[in-house]
Amino acid sequence: MHRNFPVTDSADDRNVDKNRGEKTFESMKWSINEIQSLLDKPFNDLIFEAQQMHRQYHDANVVQLSTLISVKTGGCPEDCGYCPQAARYHTGVENQTMLSVESVVNAAAAAKSQGATRFCMGAAWRGPKQSDIEKIAEMISAVKALEMETCATLGMLKPGQAKQLGEAGLDYYNHNLDTSPDFYEEIISTRNYQDRLRTLQDVRDAGINVCCGGIVGMGETREVRAGLIAQLANLNPYPESVPINNLVQVEGTPLYGTAKLDPLEFVRTIAAARISMPKAMIRLSAGRREMSEEVQALCFLAGANSIFYGDKLLTTGNPEVRQDQALLDKLGMQSQ
Ligand code: SAM
Ligand code: DTB
Ligand code: SF4
């Protein structure tokens, strides 16, 4: 059963060990209040609980390295208030038409030689046209042939498109809910929450793993963050992959100048995601360049087990490869 809205059932019968050992990512019912109670816990208790959960399903000293590439940049017709690629904001991002298959494969091979095992292709579209899908499918097959995990984020999909991407070898489709249903309209007006849920269901139905997360640091309350995590955790099954982004503020976007989120609140959000989606890959995503090493270490302790790796995200900066390698060495962490 696919659930579209936050579930408000009482949590009394909740058992956090309920899905231990099962193959599917069967979701439990998390109310917003329950997630908020997690976020409200004393920090040490929250991190302890998250770390315990993390160790049941994951190696606590391993992090997956995922490299991003923007295969089509800028000029997007949507109005996502955080995004430097929306045509309507003047951010200095240069538009670029779709990259060639060859240049994408070369970038994937270079990422692999640096240690990345996952390669994510992003495009600044509301959604792909049929001709775009054909070219993206070629990219996916070629990256898959390098034995890397493939992910794509291309916007909303039309019926049948997810299936074509799956047939080309796509392992994950990234499509974020971004925030809670209540706060959503403050951030984006050109597509709605239902549109996003529909695409996620198409992806699920095509047998592709769902990569779905959100952004914090957009001026939202803790309750909104709880609403986002509850919404993700109540997808049934919950996403196999959950990117948690800290807003990268880009001059020219409406969200530029928003009060910065306390880094410990970011860590709490990671912990709540880990506890409520125990088997998922929780990805410490955008915003890492602005984070200290200490905060990143706390994110790993809270259950993050993947980072974006490479000097660039899509259009904005990311820590340098050698800095990340030094951090992982310092923490005694291995990459995969
Ligand atoms: N255009 C497609 C879409 O929006 O579905 C795919 C690419 S879009 C750039 C992928 C995701 O990047 C967005 O859903 C959002 O969560 C994240 N993102 C974009 N700009 C960001 C920013 N400034 N800070 C943090 N995350 C950002
Ligand atoms: C996701 O949740 N974060 C990544 C990935 N999915 C595609 C994108 C972050 C983009 C940050 C802004 C930029 O570099 O343009
Ligand atoms: Fe376009 Fe995606 Fe940016 Fe929204 S997040 S403006 S859809 S590129």
CSV table of all heavy atoms in Angstrom, one decimal, residues 267-307:
chain,number,residue,atom,x,y,z
A,267,VAL,N,22.3,17.9,12.4
A,267,VAL,CA,22.7,16.5,12.9
A,267,VAL,C,21.5,15.8,13.5
A,267,VAL,O,21.3,14.6,13.2
A,267,VAL,CB,23.8,16.6,14.0
A,267,VAL,CG1,24.2,15.2,14.5
A,267,VAL,CG2,25.1,17.3,13.4
A,268,ARG,N,20.7,16.5,14.2
A,268,ARG,CA,19.4,15.9,14.7
A,268,ARG,C,18.6,15.3,13.6
A,268,ARG,O,17.9,14.3,13.7
A,268,ARG,CB,18.6,16.9,15.6
A,268,ARG,CG,19.2,17.2,16.9
A,268,ARG,CD,18.4,18.3,17.6
A,268,ARG,NE,18.9,18.6,18.9
A,268,ARG,CZ,18.6,17.9,20.1
A,268,ARG,NH1,17.8,16.9,20.0
A,268,ARG,NH2,19.2,18.3,21.2
A,269,THR,N,18.5,16.1,12.5
A,269,THR,CA,17.6,15.7,11.4
A,269,THR,C,18.2,14.4,10.8
A,269,THR,O,17.4,13.5,10.5
A,269,THR,CB,17.6,16.8,10.3
A,269,THR,OG1,17.3,18.0,11.0
A,269,THR,CG2,16.5,16.5,9.3
A,270,ILE,N,19.5,14.3,10.7
A,270,ILE,CA,20.1,13.0,10.2
A,270,ILE,C,19.7,11.9,11.1
A,270,ILE,O,19.3,10.8,10.7
A,270,ILE,CB,21.6,13.2,10.1
A,270,ILE,CG1,22.0,14.3,9.1
A,270,ILE,CG2,22.3,11.8,9.8
A,270,ILE,CD1,22.3,13.8,7.7
A,271,ALA,N,19.8,12.1,12.4
A,271,ALA,CA,19.5,11.1,13.4
A,271,ALA,C,18.1,10.6,13.3
A,271,ALA,O,17.8,9.4,13.3
A,271,ALA,CB,19.9,11.5,14.8
A,272,ALA,N,17.2,11.5,13.2
A,272,ALA,CA,15.7,11.2,13.1
A,272,ALA,C,15.5,10.4,11.8
A,272,ALA,O,14.7,9.4,11.8
A,272,ALA,CB,14.9,12.4,13.1
A,273,ALA,N,16.2,10.7,10.7
A,273,ALA,CA,16.1,10.0,9.5
A,273,ALA,C,16.6,8.5,9.7
A,273,ALA,O,16.0,7.6,9.2
A,273,ALA,CB,16.8,10.7,8.3
A,274,ARG,N,17.7,8.4,10.3
A,274,ARG,CA,18.3,7.1,10.5
A,274,ARG,C,17.4,6.2,11.4
A,274,ARG,O,17.1,5.0,11.1
A,274,ARG,CB,19.7,7.2,11.2
A,274,ARG,CG,20.3,6.0,11.8
A,274,ARG,CD,20.3,4.8,10.7
A,274,ARG,NE,21.2,5.0,9.6
A,274,ARG,CZ,20.9,4.7,8.4
A,274,ARG,NH1,19.8,4.1,8.0
A,274,ARG,NH2,21.8,4.9,7.4
A,275,ILE,N,16.8,6.8,12.4
A,275,ILE,CA,16.0,6.0,13.4
A,275,ILE,C,14.7,5.6,12.7
A,275,ILE,O,14.2,4.4,12.8
A,275,ILE,CB,15.7,6.8,14.6
A,275,ILE,CG1,17.0,7.0,15.4
A,275,ILE,CG2,14.6,6.1,15.5
A,275,ILE,CD1,16.9,8.0,16.5
A,276,SER,N,14.1,6.5,11.9
A,276,SER,CA,12.8,6.1,11.3
A,276,SER,C,12.9,5.4,9.9
A,276,SER,O,12.0,4.8,9.5
A,276,SER,CB,12.0,7.4,11.0
A,276,SER,OG,12.7,8.3,10.2
A,277,MET,N,14.1,5.4,9.3
A,277,MET,CA,14.4,4.6,8.1
A,277,MET,C,15.6,3.8,8.2
A,277,MET,O,16.7,4.1,7.6
A,277,MET,CB,14.4,5.6,6.9
A,277,MET,CG,13.1,6.3,6.7
A,277,MET,SD,13.1,7.6,5.5
A,277,MET,CE,13.6,9.0,6.5
A,278,PRO,N,15.6,2.8,9.1
A,278,PRO,CA,16.8,2.2,9.6
A,278,PRO,C,17.7,1.6,8.5
A,278,PRO,O,18.9,1.6,8.5
A,278,PRO,CB,16.4,1.1,10.5
A,278,PRO,CG,14.9,1.1,10.5
A,278,PRO,CD,14.4,2.3,9.8
A,279,LYS,N,17.1,1.0,7.4
A,279,LYS,CA,17.9,0.3,6.4
A,279,LYS,C,18.3,1.2,5.3
A,279,LYS,O,19.1,0.8,4.4
A,279,LYS,CB,17.1,-0.9,5.8
A,279,LYS,CG,16.7,-1.9,6.8
A,279,LYS,CD,15.9,-3.0,6.1
A,279,LYS,CE,15.3,-4.0,7.1
A,279,LYS,NZ,14.4,-4.9,6.5
A,280,ALA,N,17.8,2.4,5.2
A,280,ALA,CA,18.1,3.3,4.1
A,280,ALA,C,19.5,3.8,4.1
A,280,ALA,O,20.1,3.8,5.2
A,280,ALA,CB,17.1,4.5,4.1
A,281,MET,N,20.0,4.1,2.9
A,281,MET,CA,21.3,4.9,2.9
A,281,MET,C,20.8,6.3,3.2
A,281,MET,O,19.9,6.9,2.6
A,281,MET,CB,21.8,4.9,1.5
A,281,MET,CG,22.3,3.5,1.0
A,281,MET,SD,23.6,2.8,2.0
A,281,MET,CE,25.0,3.9,1.6
A,282,ILE,N,21.4,6.9,4.2
A,282,ILE,CA,21.2,8.3,4.6
A,282,ILE,C,22.4,9.1,4.1
A,282,ILE,O,23.5,8.9,4.5
A,282,ILE,CB,21.0,8.5,6.1
A,282,ILE,CG1,19.9,7.5,6.7
A,282,ILE,CG2,20.7,9.9,6.5
A,282,ILE,CD1,18.5,7.9,6.3
A,283,ARG,N,22.0,10.0,3.1
A,283,ARG,CA,23.1,10.7,2.4
A,283,ARG,C,23.3,12.1,3.0
A,283,ARG,O,22.4,12.9,2.8
A,283,ARG,CB,22.9,10.7,0.9
A,283,ARG,CG,22.7,9.2,0.4
A,283,ARG,CD,22.6,9.2,-1.1
A,283,ARG,NE,22.2,7.8,-1.5
A,283,ARG,CZ,22.9,6.8,-1.7
A,283,ARG,NH1,24.2,6.9,-1.5
A,283,ARG,NH2,22.4,5.6,-2.0
A,284,LEU,N,24.5,12.4,3.5
A,284,LEU,CA,24.8,13.7,3.9
A,284,LEU,C,25.2,14.5,2.6
A,284,LEU,O,26.2,14.2,2.1
A,284,LEU,CB,26.0,13.6,4.9
A,284,LEU,CG,26.8,14.8,5.2
A,284,LEU,CD1,26.0,16.0,5.7
A,284,LEU,CD2,27.9,14.5,6.3
A,285,SER,N,24.3,15.3,2.2
A,285,SER,CA,24.3,15.8,0.8
A,285,SER,C,24.8,17.2,0.6
A,285,SER,O,25.9,17.5,1.1
A,285,SER,CB,22.9,15.5,0.1
A,285,SER,OG,22.6,14.1,0.2
A,286,ALA,N,24.0,18.1,0.1
A,286,ALA,CA,24.5,19.4,-0.2
A,286,ALA,C,24.8,20.2,1.1
A,286,ALA,O,24.2,19.9,2.2
A,286,ALA,CB,23.4,20.2,-1.0
A,287,GLY,N,25.7,21.1,1.1
A,287,GLY,CA,25.9,22.0,2.2
A,287,GLY,C,27.2,21.5,3.0
A,287,GLY,O,27.5,22.1,4.1
A,288,ARG,N,27.8,20.5,2.6
A,288,ARG,CA,28.9,19.9,3.4
A,288,ARG,C,30.2,20.8,3.4
A,288,ARG,O,30.9,20.9,4.3
A,288,ARG,CB,29.3,18.5,2.8
A,288,ARG,CG,29.7,17.5,3.9
A,288,ARG,CD,29.5,16.1,3.4
A,288,ARG,NE,30.1,15.9,2.1
A,288,ARG,CZ,31.4,15.7,1.8
A,288,ARG,NH1,32.3,15.8,2.8
A,288,ARG,NH2,31.8,15.5,0.6
A,289,ARG,N,30.3,21.6,2.3
A,289,ARG,CA,31.5,22.5,2.2
A,289,ARG,C,31.4,23.6,3.3
A,289,ARG,O,32.4,24.1,3.8
A,289,ARG,CB,31.6,23.2,0.8
A,289,ARG,CG,33.0,23.7,0.6
A,289,ARG,CD,33.1,24.3,-0.8
A,289,ARG,NE,32.1,25.4,-1.1
A,289,ARG,CZ,32.1,26.2,-2.1
A,289,ARG,NH1,33.1,26.1,-2.9
A,289,ARG,NH2,31.2,27.1,-2.3
A,290,GLU,N,30.2,23.9,3.7
A,290,GLU,CA,30.0,24.9,4.7
A,290,GLU,C,30.1,24.3,6.1
A,290,GLU,O,29.9,25.0,7.1
A,290,GLU,CB,28.7,25.7,4.5
A,290,GLU,CG,28.7,26.5,3.2
A,290,GLU,CD,28.6,25.7,1.9
A,290,GLU,OE1,28.1,24.6,1.9
A,290,GLU,OE2,29.1,26.2,0.9
A,291,MET,N,30.3,23.0,6.2
A,291,MET,CA,30.2,22.3,7.5
A,291,MET,C,31.6,22.1,8.0
A,291,MET,O,32.5,21.7,7.2
A,291,MET,CB,29.6,21.0,7.4
A,291,MET,CG,28.1,21.0,7.7
A,291,MET,SD,27.4,19.3,7.2
A,291,MET,CE,25.9,19.9,6.5
A,292,SER,N,31.9,22.2,9.3
A,292,SER,CA,33.2,21.8,9.9
A,292,SER,C,33.3,20.3,9.8
A,292,SER,O,32.4,19.6,9.7
A,292,SER,CB,33.3,22.3,11.3
A,292,SER,OG,32.4,21.5,12.1
A,293,GLU,N,34.6,19.9,9.9
A,293,GLU,CA,34.8,18.4,10.0
A,293,GLU,C,34.1,17.8,11.2
A,293,GLU,O,33.6,16.7,11.2
A,293,GLU,CB,36.3,18.2,10.2
A,293,GLU,CG,37.1,18.5,8.9
A,293,GLU,CD,38.5,17.9,8.9
A,293,GLU,OE1,39.0,17.7,10.0
A,293,GLU,OE2,39.1,17.7,7.8
A,294,GLU,N,34.0,18.6,12.3
A,294,GLU,CA,33.4,18.1,13.5
A,294,GLU,C,31.9,17.8,13.3
A,294,GLU,O,31.4,16.8,13.8
A,294,GLU,CB,33.6,19.1,14.7
A,294,GLU,CG,35.0,19.2,15.2
A,294,GLU,CD,35.9,20.2,14.4
A,294,GLU,OE1,35.4,20.6,13.2
A,294,GLU,OE2,36.9,20.6,14.8
A,295,VAL,N,31.3,18.7,12.6
A,295,VAL,CA,29.8,18.5,12.3
A,295,VAL,C,29.6,17.3,11.4
A,295,VAL,O,28.7,16.5,11.6
A,295,VAL,CB,29.2,19.8,11.7
A,295,VAL,CG1,27.8,19.5,11.2
A,295,VAL,CG2,29.2,20.9,12.8
A,296,GLN,N,30.5,17.2,10.4
A,296,GLN,CA,30.4,16.0,9.5
A,296,GLN,C,30.6,14.7,10.3
A,296,GLN,O,29.9,13.7,10.1
A,296,GLN,CB,31.4,16.1,8.4
A,296,GLN,CG,31.1,17.3,7.4
A,296,GLN,CD,32.2,17.3,6.3
A,296,GLN,OE1,32.3,16.4,5.6
A,296,GLN,NE2,32.9,18.4,6.2
A,297,ALA,N,31.5,14.7,11.2
A,297,ALA,CA,31.8,13.5,12.0
A,297,ALA,C,30.5,13.2,12.9
A,297,ALA,O,30.1,12.0,13.0
A,297,ALA,CB,33.0,13.7,12.9
A,298,LEU,N,29.9,14.2,13.4
A,298,LEU,CA,28.6,14.0,14.1
A,298,LEU,C,27.5,13.4,13.2
A,298,LEU,O,26.7,12.6,13.7
A,298,LEU,CB,28.2,15.3,14.8
A,298,LEU,CG,28.9,15.7,16.1
A,298,LEU,CD1,28.5,17.1,16.5
A,298,LEU,CD2,28.7,14.7,17.2
A,299,CYS,N,27.5,13.9,12.0
A,299,CYS,CA,26.5,13.4,11.0
A,299,CYS,C,26.8,11.9,10.8
A,299,CYS,O,25.8,11.1,10.8
A,299,CYS,CB,26.6,14.1,9.7
A,299,CYS,SG,25.9,15.8,9.8
A,300,PHE,N,28.0,11.4,10.7
A,300,PHE,CA,28.3,10.0,10.6
A,300,PHE,C,27.9,9.3,11.8
A,300,PHE,O,27.3,8.2,11.8
A,300,PHE,CB,29.8,9.8,10.3
A,300,PHE,CG,30.3,10.4,9.0
A,300,PHE,CD1,31.5,11.0,8.9
A,300,PHE,CD2,29.5,10.2,7.8
A,300,PHE,CE1,31.9,11.6,7.7
A,300,PHE,CE2,30.0,10.8,6.6
A,300,PHE,CZ,31.2,11.5,6.6
A,301,LEU,N,28.1,9.9,13.0
A,301,LEU,CA,27.7,9.2,14.2
A,301,LEU,C,26.2,9.1,14.3
A,301,LEU,O,25.6,8.2,14.9
A,301,LEU,CB,28.2,10.1,15.4
A,301,LEU,CG,28.3,9.5,16.8
A,301,LEU,CD1,29.2,8.3,16.8
A,301,LEU,CD2,28.9,10.6,17.7
A,302,ALA,N,25.5,10.1,13.7
A,302,ALA,CA,24.0,10.1,13.7
A,302,ALA,C,23.5,9.2,12.7
A,302,ALA,O,22.2,9.0,12.6
A,302,ALA,CB,23.5,11.5,13.5
A,303,GLY,N,24.3,8.6,11.9
A,303,GLY,CA,23.8,7.5,10.9
A,303,GLY,C,23.9,7.8,9.5
A,303,GLY,O,23.5,7.1,8.6
A,304,ALA,N,24.6,9.0,9.1
A,304,ALA,CA,24.8,9.2,7.7
A,304,ALA,C,25.8,8.2,7.2
A,304,ALA,O,26.8,8.0,7.8
A,304,ALA,CB,25.3,10.6,7.5
A,305,ASN,N,25.6,7.6,6.0
A,305,ASN,CA,26.6,6.7,5.5
A,305,ASN,C,26.9,6.8,4.0
A,305,ASN,O,27.3,5.9,3.3
A,305,ASN,CB,26.2,5.2,5.8
A,305,ASN,CG,24.8,4.8,5.3
A,305,ASN,OD1,24.1,5.7,4.8
A,305,ASN,ND2,24.5,3.5,5.4
A,306,SER,N,26.7,8.1,3.5
A,306,SER,CA,27.1,8.4,2.1
A,306,SER,C,27.3,9.9,2.0
A,306,SER,O,26.6,10.7,2.7
A,306,SER,CB,26.0,7.9,1.2
A,306,SER,OG,26.2,8.4,-0.1
A,307,ILE,N,28.2,10.2,1.2
A,307,ILE,CA,28.5,11.6,0.9
A,307,ILE,C,28.6,11.8,-0.6
A,307,ILE,O,28.9,10.9,-1.3
A,307,ILE,CB,29.8,12.2,1.6
A,307,ILE,CG1,31.0,11.3,1.2
A,307,ILE,CG2,29.6,12.3,3.1
A,307,ILE,CD1,32.3,11.9,1.7
